[in-house]
Amino acid sequence: MTNKEIVDEIYRLKKEKNAVILAHNYELPEIQDIADFVGDSLGLSQQAAKVDADVIVFCGVHFMAETASIISPNKKVLIPDLNAGCSLADSMTADELRKWKSANPNAVVVSYVNTTAEVKAETDYCCTSSNAVKIVESIPQDKQILFGPDKFLGRYVKSMTGRDIKIWDGACHVHEKIGEIDFDKKMEEFPNSDFLVHPECGCSTSCMLKSEVFDCNIKIYSTEGMIEHVKNSDNNEFVIATEVGILHRLKKLRPDGKFVPMSENSVCEYMKMITLEKVLDALKYEQFVVKVPEELAKKARIPIERMLEII
Ligand code: 13P
Ligand code: SF4
């Protein structure tokens, strides 16, 4: 089958089965182009909660499909490849979190959405990179906070809020490699660019300090924050420090813009597992179903709903 035939068949089956396709900003260009909605993890959770469809084909990674299943238990959630995992979500297990909680019994647990349903069930508040500061600020001042699993996002939130936060030692294998060396090199090469940096990056803490010390355009954003910045900026040159999949959407949005990846090697192999052929098979055979058992979903829903109420 040609790509065009695959895409036509996807559209036909989507209509027949009353399905929607949700895709993360890091997905392959051809997947973003057939999606009904492309966004960051917060936007995708919000869509999953309100979308009017019987089937959600989730083009992203496993924890995102799980989140959709938790908030929309009556919809059939499909992920086109079950191996699309996340190194960050794997960096904290529910057992590890339970032990951490019992060593800090009065603390409030804030977990990034990049976690398994089991970890969410042990969590008080979920957050994403676009709302982590706001979520922490909503918690009473006198409370100590356990923040996990991403240490770079944790450090960012701690310095933005000045709160008493213990941070889990987890990271994303793609973003942690984006460090200060890449950053300083690009600053010299592109002095007039806006620098848009995801808080999961290894350089995010030093970037924050630099943005305070120098008069330069460094902004720390979730993927959707980057999209909004580029949409509204008068500049037309941007250095992008996150997974390179987002460049497709940025270039579509601002064909006049110059977009330079901080590192061309920032590729999440899990996001790239989703292909057109697998999306077609997902719709054809209604595979692979991601269903969080209701007992677990009931507990995991609480921190997600708290988050969605705050933002
Ligand atoms: P966003 O919430 O910014 O989309 O980030 C999700 C993610 O997996 C980052 O690696
Ligand atoms: Fe997980 Fe990192 Fe891939 Fe995002 S880029 S899905 S955090 S492994």
Side-chain angles (χ1 to χ4, degrees):
M1 273 174 109
T2 64
N3 268 8
K4 159 99 178 57
E5 286 166 340
I6 296 176
V7 169
D8 287 348
E9 188 58 4
I10 288 174
Y11 286 146
R12 194 191 65 75
L13 283 169
K14 200 162 73 85
K15 208 165 158 198
E16 183 185 299
K17 304 204 173 191
N18 189 24
V20 289
I21 300 179
L22 305 184
H24 189 266
N25 288 321
Y26 298 157
E27 287 294 306
L28 290 166
E30 58 271 29
I31 299 295
Q32 296 191 27
D33 290 345
I34 54 148
D36 295 289
F37 178 86
V38 185
D40 67 355
S41 33
L42 174 63
L44 292 168
S45 322
Q46 288 169 323
Q47 285 296 319
K50 70 177 185 203
V51 87
D52 180 22
D54 298 320
V55 178
I56 297 175
V57 181
F58 213 111
C59 299
V61 293
H62 194 267
F63 78 82
M64 295 178 177
E66 261 190 352
T67 306
S69 160
I70 293 164
I71 34 186
S72 286
N74 299 325
K75 294 185 185 112
K76 189 177 247 187
V77 179
L78 306 174
I79 189 162
D81 189 328
L82 269 177
N83 294 315
C86 170
S87 56
L88 181 53
D90 288 345
S91 62
M92 184 164 68
T93 66
D95 262 352
E96 287 171 329
L97 178 54
R98 276 190 284 272
K99 277 188 200 131
W100 203 27
K101 280 168 65 170
S102 50
N104 299 276
N106 298 318
V108 173
V109 177
V110 179
S111 296
Y112 199 24
V113 281
N114 296 44
T115 44
T116 60
E118 287 80 5
V119 166
K120 287 186 178 77
E122 295 290 332
T123 291
D124 296 306
Y125 293 83
C126 275
C127 72
T128 72
S129 49
S130 65
N131 61 26
V133 170
K134 213 165 164 187
I135 299 292
V136 165
E137 279 171 346
S138 76
I139 296 166
Q141 276 289 337
D142 59 324
K143 287 284 180 194
Q144 186 183 56
I145 291 167
L146 301 181
F147 189 98
D150 190 68
K151 61 182 166 192
F152 299 112
L153 179 63
R155 286 177 201 163
Y156 169 70
V157 173
K158 187 170 178 160
S159 63
M160 292 298 284
T161 60
R163 294 290 297 267
D164 176 13
I165 304 182
K166 287 191 176 174
I167 301 166
W168 191 255
D169 187 20
C172 153
H173 73 298
V174 179
H175 285 86
E176 76 175 336
K177 289 189 201 122
I178 304 180
E180 280 186 60
I181 299 172
D182 294 307
F183 189 85
D184 292 343
K185 256 197 331 223
K186 285 286 188 292
M187 274 283 251
E188 271 176 37
E189 228 179 309
F190 300 97
N192 300 318
S193 290
D194 287 359
F195 281 73
L196 312 184
V197 179
H198 198 280
E200 285 174 25
C201 290
C203 65
S204 62
T205 311
S206 66
C207 279
M208 233 177 337
L209 296 175
K210 283 190 184 93
S211 70
E212 278 165 25
V213 176
F214 307 114
D215 182 22
C216 53
N217 285 336
I218 305 174
K219 303 271 183 224
I220 315 277
Y221 283 132
S222 72
T223 54
E224 204 58 28
M226 292 181 186
I227 303 276
E228 282 304 307
H229 178 96
V230 165
K231 214 189 267 176
N232 301 314
S233 172
D234 293 333
N235 202 346
N236 64 355
E237 195 180 278
F238 307 91
V239 176
I240 307 294
T242 191
E243 211 272 352
V244 294
I246 196 173
L247 295 171
H248 176 65
R249 210 174 145 205
L250 292 172
K251 285 177 191 160
K252 267 171 88 170
L253 189 66
R254 286 279 305 271
D256 64 313
K258 176 174 176 175
F259 297 98
V260 180
M262 184 72 86
S263 163
E264 277 173 15
N265 301 325
S266 300
V267 179
C268 174
E269 63 272 40
Y270 301 116
M271 289 281 182
K272 303 318 187 220
M273 284 177 179
I274 311 297
T275 60
L276 283 177
E277 287 82 357
K278 289 181 195 171
V279 174
L280 176 57
D281 282 351
L283 277 162
K284 211 193 281 182
Y285 306 115
E286 304 203 5
Q287 67 187 27
F288 298 92
V289 177
V290 177
K291 176 76 188 153
V292 177
E294 188 45 33
E295 264 315 288
L296 178 59
K298 219 158 81 186
K299 291 187 197 148
R301 200 171 293 132
I302 298 167
I304 302 172
E305 284 180 348
R306 280 189 187 138
M307 169 182 83
L308 293 175
E309 267 165 33
I310 292 168
I311 41 124

